[in-house]
Amino acid sequence: MRAQPGDWLIVEGRAVGGVVRRGLIEEVHGQDGAPPYLVHWTDTGHRALTFPGPDAYVRTSAELRAQEEIAAARYSSMQHVPASAPTGTAGADRSRH
């Protein structure tokens, strides 16, 4: 794994539905971009010297932005407007009873 200051460290949750953590790499303490990294975590606001595990990867700001745009486009394409209930059916006003 190689990084430079300004890159993002992404840590995927190991369990289904697990939390994905993101942190801005502020400093690189290893040789040639190797860990450990001083990471400013977005979820907690804390800074920590981090040795990433196998569930982590590095993205540049541009790569992360592109990845998020793709995810947003996929999500928005799945959105739909529910059909309105027909008049005079179970969805009718019941306040008069």
Side-chain angles (χ1 to χ4, degrees):
M1 180 177 299
R2 301 283 180 248
Q4 59 186 4
D7 287 346
W8 288 87
L9 182 65
I10 314 299
V11 180
E12 298 281 349
R14 292 182 184 223
V16 174
V19 177
V20 176
R21 294 188 75 198
R22 282 190 245 174
L24 180 64
I25 298 172
E26 295 182 338
E27 297 174 5
V28 175
H29 290 265
Q31 287 186 327
D32 300 319
Y37 307 128
L38 179 65
V39 178
H40 185 172
W41 295 104
T42 59
D43 59 343
T44 63
H46 291 105
R47 289 178 173 84
L49 195 60
T50 305
F51 287 88
D55 55 346
Y57 56 93
V58 173
R59 292 286 184 260
T60 65
S61 291
E63 290 170 336
L64 184 58
R65 192 174 313 112
Q67 185 177 356
E68 288 175 344
E69 287 172 1
I70 290 168
R74 285 183 183 154
Y75 179 75
S76 66
S77 70
M78 294 184 325
Q79 297 298 310
H80 69 281
V81 177
S84 58
T87 326
T89 63
D93 183 12
R94 296 180 185 177
S95 62
R96 291 185 253 159
H97 298 282

